Amino acid sequence: MVSPDPYSYWIVLLDIEDFSLRPENAQATLHEELYDVVEFALGRAGLCFADCPVQDRGDGMLILVPVDTSPTRLLRELQRGLDDALSAHRAKYNEDHRMRLRVGLNQGLVIRRGERWTGTAINDLARLVDAGPVKRVLAEARRAPLVVVVSENVHTSVVLGGYPGIDPAAYLPADFVTKHGEPRRGWVTVPGYAAPPGLPANPGEPPDRAPGGAQAPGGGAGRAGGGTGTGSPVPPPTLTARDVTGGRIAVGEGAKVVGRDDVAGNVYYVNVPLDER
């Protein structure tokens, strides 16, 4: 069968934080409320919900926005509209029904076969929204109802354009590596924050792909929910003897005595009391 021609869209992906951890009645409420939230936000961006194809994902939704939509208005007003709608939602419901969103924006080609949509732009956006660093930002930005992540091309063409209402300084890069060993970078912003919490202000260059598809050093996704599958591990913290008091750290073979701390077998005793030496 010949593949149909693709069409270009602005692609929006929304995912509700901790959806699967909620009681079933809360999931039902959140699922229903998400449509009201999104309809309001699209209206703020000058779009009619009925004119934007939507794919329901249970804990979120995928939206195709016509490519002739103003990207600056879409990014600016969608973010503001979601922020306002989610604040109104929180005023109506208790904590079990609190809705917080990870929202992604990309632009690219999509092949549509009825309700089945495929395209690299969709896959890349899904990885961005599910990335560990993005989850970490939302977890640490406790007073914000959403976090927004955009692709590299959207950041270059829209965010850095100097357009009104879009502050490039409010975006920081989030680097991670997919489960297939592919380095990715998204750009994250949080309404109400000068810069997204939980991300380094000077991350350096994007992670490189290591030989053989392995993860490059420093390319792991962040904590608070992990990354895109098992390929985005959280790097362990680097500890020194000063970081631990009265504790034990397991070490491998070849361990050595450090300062006044003792090593016995594979257990590193830090600040051991004198009567135990």
Side-chain angles (χ1 to χ4, degrees):
M1 180 177 14
V2 178
S3 176
D5 290 325
Y7 288 87
S8 185
Y9 293 95
W10 293 101
I11 308 167
V12 179
L13 180 60
L14 305 98
D15 190 271
I16 301 174
E17 181 188 46
D18 295 336
F19 183 84
S20 62
L21 302 180
R22 313 296 182 89
E24 289 189 3
N25 67 325
Q27 291 184 18
T29 300
L30 289 170
H31 183 267
E32 186 69 23
E33 282 282 310
L34 180 61
Y35 278 79
D36 294 336
V37 167
V38 170
E39 184 172 4
F40 175 84
L42 289 176
R44 281 280 296 268
L47 297 165
C48 178
F49 186 85
D51 294 335
C52 299
V54 173
Q55 188 178 83
D56 191 302
R57 295 197 163 194
D59 60 350
M61 63 173 65
L62 181 66
I63 307 170
L64 301 182
V65 178
V67 73
D68 59 354
T69 301
S70 166
T72 53
R73 183 175 184 182
L74 175 63
L75 178 59
R76 181 182 63 241
E77 300 303 332
L78 181 68
Q79 179 177 316
R80 291 175 177 175
L82 288 172
D83 192 13
D84 289 345
L86 289 170
S87 297
H89 167 87
R90 185 174 184 178
K92 294 190 299 181
Y93 293 95
N94 60 25
E95 197 66 21
D96 283 344
H97 294 78
R98 183 186 184 191
M99 186 189 302
R100 303 178 77 225
L101 298 175
R102 299 192 309 277
V103 182
L105 177 64
N106 197 7
Q107 191 274 329
L109 300 178
V110 177
I111 295 175
R112 296 178 60 189
R113 293 185 176 93
E115 298 300 317
R116 293 174 294 170
W117 305 347
T118 57
T120 300
I122 291 178
N123 298 337
D124 288 345
L125 185 58
R127 294 186 180 105
L128 288 179
V129 171
D130 195 47
V134 179
K135 292 181 177 180
R136 179 173 71 242
V137 169
L138 185 58
E140 297 194 12
R142 296 311 303 170
R143 71 174 187 267
L146 76 154
V147 59
V148 177
V149 57
V150 302
S151 63
E152 281 267 48
N153 67 308
V154 171
H155 180 259
T156 300
S157 61
V158 181
V159 174
L160 296 182
Y163 298 104
I166 300 175
D167 179 14
Y171 288 77
L172 285 179
D175 296 327
F176 65 102
V177 177
T178 71
K179 63 183 179 182
H180 301 297
E182 300 167 323
R184 289 288 185 271
R185 168 171 280 189
W187 291 83
V188 181
T189 188
V190 182
Y193 286 76
L199 292 178
N202 299 296
E205 295 299 318
D208 295 324
R209 181 166 182 164
Q215 180 175 311
R223 52 185 168 81
T228 52
T230 57
S232 297
V234 181
T238 300
L239 297 178
T240 66
R242 295 180 179 178
D243 296 320
V244 182
T245 302
R248 299 181 178 185
I249 303 174
V251 298
E253 297 180 359
K256 299 179 180 179
V257 174
V258 180
R260 293 170 49 194
D261 302 321
D262 296 344
V263 176
N266 284 333
V267 179
Y268 177 17
Y269 294 83
V270 182
N271 297 327
V272 181
L274 291 176
D275 57 2
E276 295 185 14
R277 291 175 182 255

